[in-house]
Amino acid sequence: MNRENSSINSTTNQTAKKSENAPVQRWFWLRPFLPRKLQPYLRGLRKRLEQQKLNLEEPFRSVYPFTQVSQVRLKSLMQLATRIEEEGIPGDIVECGVLDGGSAALMGDATRKSAHRKLHLFDAWKGLPPSGSEDGEASKKWTGQVVGSSHRVSTIMAEMGIPSERLAFHKGWFSDTFPKAEIEQIALLHIDADFYDPVKFCLETWGPKVSKGGYIQLDDYSEFQGCRSAVDEFLEKYPQMTLNTYGNPTKAYYIHVG
Ligand SMILES: C[S@@+](CC[C@H](N)C(=O)[O-])C[C@H]1O[C@@H](n2cnc3c(N)ncnc32)[C@H](O)[C@@H]1O
């Protein structure tokens, strides 16, 4: 592990000791009363109202109602997607944890000149799976929450003009869909699956397929302790990979594959 990794890890570990190991859940008292299938539509409505008060530029404005990813992390994703285009890094784009498609649509938008780059979209669209012991107590309340909609993914892709031929929907739990997916090479991998087991599985399955010069962005490194452990374990196995950050004080975390 290089010096950059060590300093990032020590900072985030200190944060984890001081604070919750998982994000605070908004509207937790209301959740038992709302059918889970409504979540994507209610979230979309809330985000449309929020969006009106924000002065966002395109394409961040269009994707806002379709994503939970923070603005700084979306900007980082956009920058990485632009870099793989400029640097001609070969491979497809893979997102594990798609929800309503906002972050995926942004990556599709930034790579629209590369019609050959497929956008592989992996999600069960059934909410988060059960958390495990590595995720800690605070993560348990997230199980079954964060329900997205593949229909809403198609809506934002169409709104953004991303051709359907570029899209590969892999609907189901990762344990069922990963073994069936045929992906040769990846230029940009976005992992947004929150918990230890899925993040570890994503890294182990797709990490070795990322091209030299490609990128892996990890949405939950500073939010969920399980994600952080999975990433740290992966980096220990692959010391040639470095963990970088973008933005301050909220940070995006990404690996540049060397
Ligand atoms: C935080 S959301 C993704 C957010 C999204 N990238 C966005 O732009 O808002 C996490 C998603 O990961 C999916 N997920 C987590 N673990 C999974 C697994 N093991 N198999 C399939 N989907 C999974 C959940 O269904 C959920 O939709």
Side-chain angles (χ1 to χ4, degrees), residues 84 87-92 116-117 185-188 210-212:
I84 61 163
E87 293 165 16
I89 306 297
D92 288 338
H116 64 280
R117 279 194 211 275
Q185 223 177 4
I186 299 169
L188 176 57
V210 180
S211 308
K212 195 169 164 38

Side-chain angles (χ1 to χ4, degrees), residues 67-69 97-99 103 123-124 127-129 146 172-174 192-194 198:
T67 184
Q68 290 197 318
V69 175
V98 182
L99 195 73
S103 52
D123 205 305
L128 292 173
V146 202
W173 297 111
F174 297 158
D192 192 356
D194 303 12

Side-chain angles (χ1 to χ4, degrees), residues 8-23:
I8 287 167
N9 293 344
S10 63
T11 316
T12 48
N13 285 341
Q14 278 164 17
T15 312
K17 269 179 212 149
K18 272 187 270 162
S19 61
E20 278 272 15
N21 300 315

Side-chain angles (χ1 to χ4, degrees), residues 66-69 74 95-104 122-129 145-148 172-175 190 192-194 198 219-220:
F66 295 85
T67 184
Q68 290 197 318
V69 175
L74 289 176
E95 181 167 84
C96 303
V98 182
L99 195 73
D100 297 332
S103 52
F122 289 93
D123 205 305
W125 286 288
K126 285 186 175 166
L128 292 173
Q145 299 298 328
V146 202
V147 182
W173 297 111
F174 297 158
S175 50
H190 184 216
D192 192 356
D194 303 12
D219 189 71
D220 308 296

Side-chain angles (χ1 to χ4, degrees), residues 80 187-191 203 206-207 210 214-218 234 241 243 253-257:
L80 301 183
L188 176 57
L189 169 61
H190 184 216
I191 301 180
L203 283 166
W206 304 123
V210 180
Y215 297 94
I216 308 172
Q217 183 157 315
L218 305 137
F234 178 77
M241 298 201 190
L243 185 63
Y253 295 86
Y254 67 90
I255 295 169
H256 189 197
V257 177

